[in-house]
């Protein structure tokens, strides 16, 4: 299980295409023997697909950004003041 803990960060990086070739080879070898990490990979791939599709679903224009920025306070609130 400690090997899985070392490998898990590579799974996310592999979905993003950010692994070095040596890391990708080690990850592939690990997947050959570890069902739990293959499940994590499948979940990460599904999440990445969902997020890629969501980018088209939430189109906002520049006025949204301006409205959000205008709603922020000029300075940070002092501690103890509710932010509701």
């Amino acid at each position: 299980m400690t090997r899985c803990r070392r490998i898990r960060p590579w799974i996310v990086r592999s979905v993003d295409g950010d692994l070095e070739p040596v890391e990708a080879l080690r990850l592939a070898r690990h997947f050959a023997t570890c069902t739990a990490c293959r499940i994590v990979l499948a979940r990460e791939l599904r999440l990445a697909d969902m997020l890629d599709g969501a980018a088209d679903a939430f189109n906002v224009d520049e006025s949204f950004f301006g409205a959000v920025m205008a709603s922020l306070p000029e300075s940070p609130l002092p501690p103890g003041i509710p932010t509701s």
Side-chain angles (χ1 to χ4, degrees), residues 35-56:
T35 302
C37 285
R38 287 194 308 268
I39 291 170
V40 171
L41 174 64
R43 288 180 180 166
E44 289 295 330
L45 288 168
R46 186 170 178 221
L47 177 60
D49 285 343
M50 289 170 54
L51 292 175
D52 285 343
D56 296 331

Side-chain angles (χ1 to χ4, degrees), residues 4-59:
C4 292
R5 278 190 228 138
R6 287 190 316 237
I7 294 289
R8 294 274 166 98
W10 291 3
I11 294 172
V12 175
R13 289 181 45 220
S14 74
V15 171
D16 293 338
D18 293 336
L19 284 184
E20 298 294 325
V22 172
E23 294 170 328
L25 181 60
R26 287 182 186 160
L27 187 60
R29 287 181 179 157
H30 181 75
F31 285 148
T33 61
C34 185
T35 302
C37 285
R38 287 194 308 268
I39 291 170
V40 171
L41 174 64
R43 288 180 180 166
E44 289 295 330
L45 288 168
R46 186 170 178 221
L47 177 60
D49 285 343
M50 289 170 54
L51 292 175
D52 285 343
D56 296 331
F58 299 103
N59 292 324

